[in-house]
Amino acid sequence: MDDLHVPPGPGAPHGLCVPAAELVEQFSRASGPGGQGVNTTDSRVQLSLDVALTTALTDAQRARVLARLASRLNDGVITIAASEERAQRRNRQAARQRLADLLREAVMPAVARRNTKPTRGSQRRRLEGKRQRAITKRARRRPDAE
């Protein structure tokens, strides 16, 4: 097994390289259809990474990942399972790709929304709509006693 490379992106301009020693792979029998080999091959893959202890992340990145993935972490460890494919090798690739995508998303800094002013046209349309609504409601009133 080789290192896991995460492509560059926001929050990780040079990408990430997770050492192979920090990744833990476990294999088990996948459920579901598979023909004659279903009971003999361990094709399901569980890929785990201890986010709290990995050397691939800086302190700022680690804090961001721990905050973003808090619901998926179990004692600081993220676990990805792949069992879609019948071949163990393809499941390993799928799990590694999923972990790389997950890390890339989690490392991205949050984009702060900037408040914008309504345009002049939208303000004018809103006020015109209010005027029209007032005219409609005024027309429904009882006529004055004059």
Side-chain angles (χ1 to χ4, degrees), residues 23 40 42 46 54 74 84-85 96-97 122 132 135:
L23 296 170
T40 59
D42 292 337
Q46 276 189 311
T54 186
N74 188 7
E84 298 79 30
E85 304 289 338
R96 291 170 70 84
Q97 184 61 48
S122 69
Q132 288 298 326
I135 291 170

Side-chain angles (χ1 to χ4, degrees), residues 21 26 51 56 60 62 73 79 81 112 117 121 134:
Q26 292 178 326
V51 178
R62 185 182 332 278
L73 295 176
T79 302
K117 291 200 300 193

Side-chain angles (χ1 to χ4, degrees), residues 118-131:
T119 62
R120 195 175 292 158
S122 69
Q123 288 176 338
R124 183 181 50 73
R125 286 189 298 273
R126 183 179 64 86
L127 292 175
E128 183 58 33
K130 288 177 74 151
R131 269 189 224 100

Side-chain angles (χ1 to χ4, degrees), residues 104-122:
R104 186 170 182 198
E105 286 289 320
V107 165
M108 280 189 198
V111 179
R113 184 190 178 282
R114 275 193 255 142
N115 291 337
T116 57
K117 291 200 300 193
T119 62
R120 195 175 292 158
S122 69

Side-chain angles (χ1 to χ4, degrees), residues 10-12 59-69 106-110:
D59 290 337
Q61 291 171 336
R62 185 182 332 278
R64 207 176 296 139
V65 169
L66 287 172
R68 290 242 176 99
L69 300 179
V107 165
M108 280 189 198

Side-chain angles (χ1 to χ4, degrees), residues 23-95:
L23 296 170
V24 178
E25 281 185 332
Q26 292 178 326
F27 306 101
S28 61
R29 293 192 180 132
S31 63
Q36 292 175 334
V38 73
N39 293 325
T40 59
T41 58
D42 292 337
S43 60
R44 182 174 184 265
V45 178
Q46 276 189 311
L47 183 64
S48 300
L49 172 68
D50 193 340
V51 178
L53 300 177
T54 186
T55 58
L57 301 171
T58 64
D59 290 337
Q61 291 171 336
R62 185 182 332 278
R64 207 176 296 139
V65 169
L66 287 172
R68 290 242 176 99
L69 300 179
S71 62
R72 295 192 61 175
L73 295 176
N74 188 7
D75 294 329
V77 177
I78 183 85
T79 302
I80 304 290
S83 61
E84 298 79 30
E85 304 289 338
R86 286 179 62 179
Q88 185 187 83
R89 181 178 52 78
R90 289 198 303 264
N91 280 332
R92 288 176 78 185
Q93 291 170 346

